[in-house]
Amino acid sequence: MNLSIIRIGPTENRSGMQYHAQYSLRSAGMANTRTRTLLAILLVFAIMLPLGAVGQAEHASVVQNEVSIVDSRGVVVSLPRYPDRIISLSPNITETLFALGIGERLVGRTDYCDYPSETQYIESMGDLFTPSIEKIVSAAPDLVIISNLGQSQTIDAIETAGIPVAFIDEPGTMEGTFRIIEQVGAITGTESQAKKIVLSLQETLEAVESKLSPEVHPTVYYVAGFGEWGDFTATGDTFIHDIIVSAGAVNIAENAVNWSYQLELILANDPDIIILPPMWGSTFEQTRTEFVNHPSYSSLTAVKQDRIITIDSNLMERQGPRSAQAVQQLAQKIVDILR
């Protein structure tokens, strides 16, 4: 308690001193009571301020979680918050979501979404081109992500059902791959992880490039299809072409488009190396045996010298977090087979 200072004049007696002292003490007590009351009020007000600030922060957080991107159609896709329930209708998008660490948000995929192995526990919505709209609606997703393999009528049907769709498709290059990962990161609230993945891809590609021989650029032919149905390859307008170039090789079909190629051109260009992924439903050995024994290809130098490389076609074809790994593997296989 703070005591008031009492000044006693000459005419003041002892009783006066006692009175003034008692009065001053009471006044001091009352003042302190008022002070304590005021402090209590201020304390309550001070406590309420942080609570109000917390409320504002929570509100700001909700506002901050509102997300929108401009997808590859030029359409603004807006969500009230980052999606918790996602359906991916593209294998490369499915791989990207798992790489971003949010595979648990997936509530739907396609029959072809087979990597990583955890995808087997996610319900399939059907094939790439005609997924079940009924299943998609029943899964109640916050967002459906689809890439270049999707059909416009599928997108229209999903959006008509009131479900947001993000169409994410970029050019078939490594730079396009980076943008796909960044776009998926932006719409799912995982931008920092997306940046880490892109940085890792860039570092891997730089490491591969630093080891490439400036003098050795073998010609290669990628077999996407062969035999009675015609010859199909990774033409210059495909993502696989970019992987081939990044691995230090020359694609003999770089000037062709739309996956189609002519047998006469294969024979005329006579590639140094054949890249032969297993055909659908076959093992590599089965595919290799069929290819080398086919009369159309038996005269190729690569066949005669057994310069045939096998590689996972999914690794080569999907623009996503494993794309740099595809370049790395192909570059090493080329070096090994030329030794």
Side-chain angles (χ1 to χ4, degrees), residues 92-112:
N92 66 319
I93 299 298
T94 300
E95 290 194 20
T96 300
L97 290 168
F98 272 96
L100 290 170
I102 53 174
E104 76 282 354
R105 296 194 204 175
L106 274 169
V107 295
R109 61 174 177 89
T110 71
D111 295 339
Y112 295 91

Side-chain angles (χ1 to χ4, degrees), residues 106-123:
L106 274 169
V107 295
R109 61 174 177 89
T110 71
D111 295 339
Y112 295 91
C113 297
D114 56 4
Y115 186 90
S117 60
E118 290 86 346
T119 56
Q120 64 183 304
Y121 304 111
I122 301 169
E123 184 178 3

Side-chain angles (χ1 to χ4, degrees), residues 8 25 31 41 69 92 96 136 138 141 162 165 168 172 184 192 209 211 222 238 243 248 274 280 297 304 336:
I8 302 175
L25 286 171
I41 293 171
I69 65 165
N92 66 319
T96 300
I136 292 172
S138 178
V165 176
I168 299 178
V184 175
S192 60
E209 185 179 10
K211 296 177 182 178
Y222 183 91
T238 66
I243 290 179
I274 299 291
W280 181 256
Y297 315 107
K304 291 178 178 179
D336 292 343

Side-chain angles (χ1 to χ4, degrees), residues 221-234 259-261 263 266 275-280 287 290-291 297 317:
Y221 178 74
Y222 183 91
V223 181
F226 67 93
E228 61 178 315
W229 302 108
D231 292 288
F232 298 92
T233 187
W259 295 90
S260 183
Y261 209 58
L263 176 61
I266 302 174
I275 304 173
L276 184 65
M279 295 295 105
W280 181 256
T287 302
E290 185 178 351
F291 184 84
Y297 315 107
E317 294 169 5

Side-chain angles (χ1 to χ4, degrees), residues 26 66 114 121 124 151 181 187 230-231 258 308 326 329:
R26 285 198 302 271
E66 292 181 358
D114 56 4
Y121 304 111
S124 175
Q151 303 295 299
I181 295 169
I187 196 70
D231 292 288
N258 297 328
I308 300 177
Q329 282 193 19

Side-chain angles (χ1 to χ4, degrees), residues 87-89 108-113 123-133 135-136:
I87 289 178
S88 166
L89 296 181
R109 61 174 177 89
T110 71
D111 295 339
Y112 295 91
C113 297
E123 184 178 3
S124 175
M125 303 291 107
D127 64 33
L128 290 169
F129 304 105
T130 56
S132 170
I133 303 302
K135 279 188 175 182
I136 292 172

Side-chain angles (χ1 to χ4, degrees), residues 152-196:
S152 59
Q153 58 265 33
T154 299
I155 296 175
D156 292 341
I158 296 171
E159 289 182 328
T160 299
I163 300 170
V165 176
F167 179 74
I168 299 178
D169 180 36
E170 294 291 341
T173 62
M174 283 297 168
E175 289 297 327
T177 303
F178 302 156
R179 289 198 291 272
I180 288 173
I181 295 169
E182 289 168 346
Q183 283 279 73
V184 175
I187 196 70
T188 59
T190 54
E191 295 95 334
S192 60
Q193 182 61 22
K195 289 179 181 178
K196 290 178 182 178

Side-chain angles (χ1 to χ4, degrees), residues 31-32 58 79 147 154 203 205 239 268 285 307 315 318:
N32 285 329
E58 289 175 350
L79 302 173
S147 73
T154 299
E203 290 174 346
L205 292 172
F239 178 57
E285 286 303 325
R307 288 181 173 176
L315 194 65
R318 297 176 183 177

